[in-house]
């Protein structure tokens, strides 16, 4: 009942047109910006409580990125929302065509726990700049951040425009029964299937931001020292609990020893004296216990241990890994890097292509031919050449998966598009009326139609 009521309130608000104008959109974005700015300390504290994130990492990956994205939308939303000209085919002459972005309406945003602030707010920014209303459902696994998200939204916006519904599986299932105009889901592939199934009942369109195993391919031309450092950064960021974390490494044969030296040196630099205080912990005891099991029976060339008290898995590199072992079957989501050697590039590419299309792929090489082949032959959501993860932090780039790693994309203009419908309008005067298409059809009209549509 509560959820139905909320949806009815948001729908009524949306119908007043209060969210539509550029001034209203900017006001909403500015209010959100101010609320986030004012509550920066509370946000950092909540992320520390839920995941043990260091304040710098919280700013870098959550609050800072959100503020940056809001500023980007504020700078561009007026242009994005204005109607643009469309081409006019000869057949319709004389006429003018227009493409008018229209907000989708009342939307549902469901978020996971790993970047629990970022992943509630980033889609919401798109919804607001597109002129939509939104119900946000944070993850129950990050309860402190879920509360902060609710407080930020309460401070910034009327409940009719953006509201939080707290809860887990049961509450989300109830929300999914409601006839929203769009569902934006970030989370696992398993729940993505549930969301899409529920959405189908109301024919509600979905954006799915899912996960998967994102490979790194490294060849002998790469700068091993920099590569090891950048892979280690992607792997220990949020303790590997990042949707685009480098999941496993496909390493050209003969490089393992050197790579391990550089990876170990990078970890020594990141965590002086082996102190892991600045690395996040596993989100829950259950997740921690599950990740420990991934190490069983593996040959850890680096790490391989954990800290039971802190709930942290030490950064690890696994060698001699059997591709059929559990660590190579599921998304790892922990600072554990399995290494799989390859002899020919064909082998490395086939390894990626034989598996579900990943959310990200990272290539370390200085060989343009290798780059052309990997980018040309492998399908994946997005990625980097000679780095990891950073493609996610660019508002000018679309972010999203392909196939089982996701459906649709967002960030910057792509977020605006995700929550908008490009409405096509052909505008004509009443005169002249050229009766070419009118009945009765004649041979001459058909010949003309064939010529015009050639
Ligand atoms: P999850 O799928 O378990 O949960 C996501 C949301 O769905 C939560 O709000 C949860 O309450 C809800 N939920 C859980 N079970 C449900 C059910 N049966 N029915 C309805 N709703 C349900 O995901 P998670 O464990 O919170 O997050 C980790 C996953 O998210 C990883 O697979 C990761 O790769 C993915 N992820 C993807 C992105 C991306 O941008 N593509 C970003 C972050 C995380």
């Amino acid at each position: 009942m509560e959820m139905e009521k909320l949806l009815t309130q948001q729908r009524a608000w949306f119908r007043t047109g209060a969210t539509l104008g550029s001034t209203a959109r900017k006001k909403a974005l500015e209010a959100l910006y101010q609320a986030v700015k004012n509550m920066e300390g509370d946000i950092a504290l909540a992320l520390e409580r839920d995941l043990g994130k260091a304040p710098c990492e919280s700013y870098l990956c959550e609050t800072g990125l959100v503020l940056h994205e809001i500023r980007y939308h504020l700078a561009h939303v007026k242009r994005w929302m204005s109607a643009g000209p469309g081409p006019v085919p000869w057949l319709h002459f004389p006429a003018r065509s227009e493409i008018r972005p229209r907000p989708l309406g009342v939307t549902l945003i469901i978020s996971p726990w790993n970047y629990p602030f970022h992943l509630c707010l980033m889609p919401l920014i798109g919804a607001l700049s597109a002129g939509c209303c939104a119900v946000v459902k944070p993850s129950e696994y990050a309860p402190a951040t879920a509360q902060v998200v609710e407080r930020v939204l309460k401070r910034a916006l009327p409940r009719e425009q953006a509201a939080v519904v707290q809860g887990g599986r049961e509450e989300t299932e109830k929300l999914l029964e409601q006839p929203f105009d769009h569902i934006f889901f970030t989370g696992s592939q398993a729940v993505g299937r549930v969301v899409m199934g529920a959405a189908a009942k109301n024919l509600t369109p979905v954006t799915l931001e899912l996960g998967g195993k994102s490979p790194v391919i490294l060849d002998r031309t790469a700068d091993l020292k920099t590569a090891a450092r950048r892979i280690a950064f992607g792997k220990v960021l949020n303790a590997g609990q990042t949707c685009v974390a480098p999941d496993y490494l496909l390493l050209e044969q003969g490089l393992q020893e050197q790579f391990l030296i550089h990876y170990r040196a990078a970890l020594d630099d990141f965590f002086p004296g082996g102190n892991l205080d600045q690395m996040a912990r596993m989100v829950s005891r259950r997740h921690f216990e599950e990740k420990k099991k991934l190490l069983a029976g593996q040959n850890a060339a680096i790490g391989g241990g954990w800290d039971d008290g802190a709930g942290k898995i030490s950064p690890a590199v696994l060698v001699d890994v059997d591709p059929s072992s559990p660590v190579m079957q599921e998304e790892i989501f922990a600072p554990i890097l399995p290494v799989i050697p390859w002899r020919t590039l064909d082998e490395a590419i086939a390894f990626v292509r034989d598996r579900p299309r990943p959310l990200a792929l990272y290539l370390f090489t200085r060989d343009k031919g290798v780059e052309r082949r990997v980018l040309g032959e492998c399908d994946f959501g997005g990625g980097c050449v000679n780095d990891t993860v950073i493609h996610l932090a660019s508002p000018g780039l679309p972010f999203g998966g392909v196939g089982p790693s996701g459906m649709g994309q967002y960030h910057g203009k792509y977020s605006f598009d995700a929550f908008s419908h490009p409405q096509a309008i052909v505008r004509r005067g009443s005169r002249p009326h050229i009766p070419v298409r009118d009945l009765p059809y004649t041979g001459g009209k058909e010949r003309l139609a064939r010529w015009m549509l050639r």
Side-chain angles (χ1 to χ4, degrees), residues 47 107 148 182 366:
L47 290 164
T107 63
V148 164
H182 191 78
R366 280 185 283 203

Side-chain angles (χ1 to χ4, degrees), residues 146-206:
Q147 288 303 328
V148 164
V149 170
E150 183 164 354
R151 283 170 49 216
V152 166
L153 263 58
K154 272 190 179 149
R155 214 178 245 214
L157 300 155
R159 189 172 159 72
E160 292 79 10
Q161 187 162 10
V164 166
V165 170
Q166 302 285 3
R169 179 184 176 151
E170 207 180 302
E171 290 77 6
T172 317
E173 279 171 356
K174 293 220 174 77
L175 279 170
L176 287 170
E177 286 168 12
Q178 305 300 320
F180 282 96
D181 298 315
H182 191 78
I183 298 174
F184 190 106
F185 172 78
T186 309
S188 61
Q189 294 182 357
V191 181
R193 281 191 193 93
V194 174
V195 169
M196 203 166 166
K201 295 202 178 102
N202 292 315
L203 283 182
T204 302
V206 291

Side-chain angles (χ1 to χ4, degrees), residues 268-289:
D268 288 344
D269 280 354
F270 291 174
F271 306 110
N275 180 340
L276 296 180
D277 280 357
Q278 294 209 333
M279 189 180 76
R281 62 171 172 273
M282 296 292 103
V283 69
S284 72
R285 212 67 214 173
R286 177 172 70 77
H287 289 81
F288 177 62
E289 295 302 329

